[in-house]
Amino acid sequence: MRNKALSVALALVFAAVLPISFVSCEAAPTEDEAIGIIENLLPRTYLLNEIYFGVGMDYIDDGSEGKYMPVSDDSPYLTEEELRTATEAVFSSDYCESIFDIYLTGYSDDDTGSIIYARYYEYGDRLYIDTEAEVLVSYERTYDLESVEITSLSSRFIVFTAQSYLDGTADEVIEITITSEKDDDGETIWRINSATY
């Protein structure tokens, strides 16, 4: 009787631990796979950094008195959905949330009473840009992909350093983190979880 109770208890323990084992045993990418992920994601941050933190997208001066103007017809993204989708394809969900809160939604600071208006908003299926918004970065930061050195690699994170350039001139070596997430189908996807501008 005692052996039967012990068997049942062990079965329950294994049943509880088994799902955890499958999660924790998910394989980390190889270094070559990690390099491929970095080479795919990092260059795609350049345009997004310019859109959110730099000069922003070109716009059409429609003659209105407001500070918001429609983005030009040849802008890379014409709607909020297009811009959100492109951002979510590169940056982690946490990083996207912080970007969207500031640049697509805006917010108010209860402590100071100040209001931060969104840099972009959509009207009539067209994004409008705040032409008076403060430009956070006035340069373009790019990276030498040949200089990438992976410092940490697991099933959850890829941490690496790379030589950066400001407007083509060598600047500092920067550490960047890429994190794994699950898409709607439960498949693993990799997204940048660091500022790269």
Side-chain angles (χ1 to χ4, degrees), residues 26 29 37-38 41 88-96 152 154-160 176-182 187-194:
E26 186 171 320
I37 292 166
I38 294 165
L41 291 175
E88 290 167 344
V90 174
F91 291 112
S92 71
S93 55
D94 286 343
Y95 194 79
C96 284
S152 183
S154 72
S155 61
R156 294 192 61 203
F157 298 102
I158 301 168
V159 183
F160 68 96
I176 297 170
T177 299
I178 297 178
T179 186
S180 67
E181 298 182 342
K182 297 293 184 182
E187 298 295 321
T188 298
I189 54 177
W190 293 91
R191 299 291 184 262
I192 291 177
N193 196 41
S194 301

Side-chain angles (χ1 to χ4, degrees), residues 88-113:
E88 290 167 344
V90 174
F91 291 112
S92 71
S93 55
D94 286 343
Y95 194 79
C96 284
E97 183 177 349
S98 64
I99 292 175
F100 297 157
D101 282 350
I102 296 172
Y103 292 93
L104 297 182
T105 305
Y107 68 94
S108 59
D109 188 331
D110 293 335
D111 293 331
T112 64

Side-chain angles (χ1 to χ4, degrees), residues 114-146:
S114 61
I115 298 174
I116 305 299
Y117 292 98
R119 187 173 195 188
Y120 297 94
Y121 83 94
E122 185 173 290
Y123 177 75
D125 294 329
R126 175 66 64 104
L127 277 173
Y128 279 62
I129 181 173
D130 180 351
T131 60
E132 299 175 6
E134 180 182 0
V135 174
L136 183 62
V137 293
S138 57
Y139 52 78
E140 180 186 42
R141 187 182 298 278
T142 57
Y143 294 85
D144 177 11
L145 295 177
E146 296 296 324

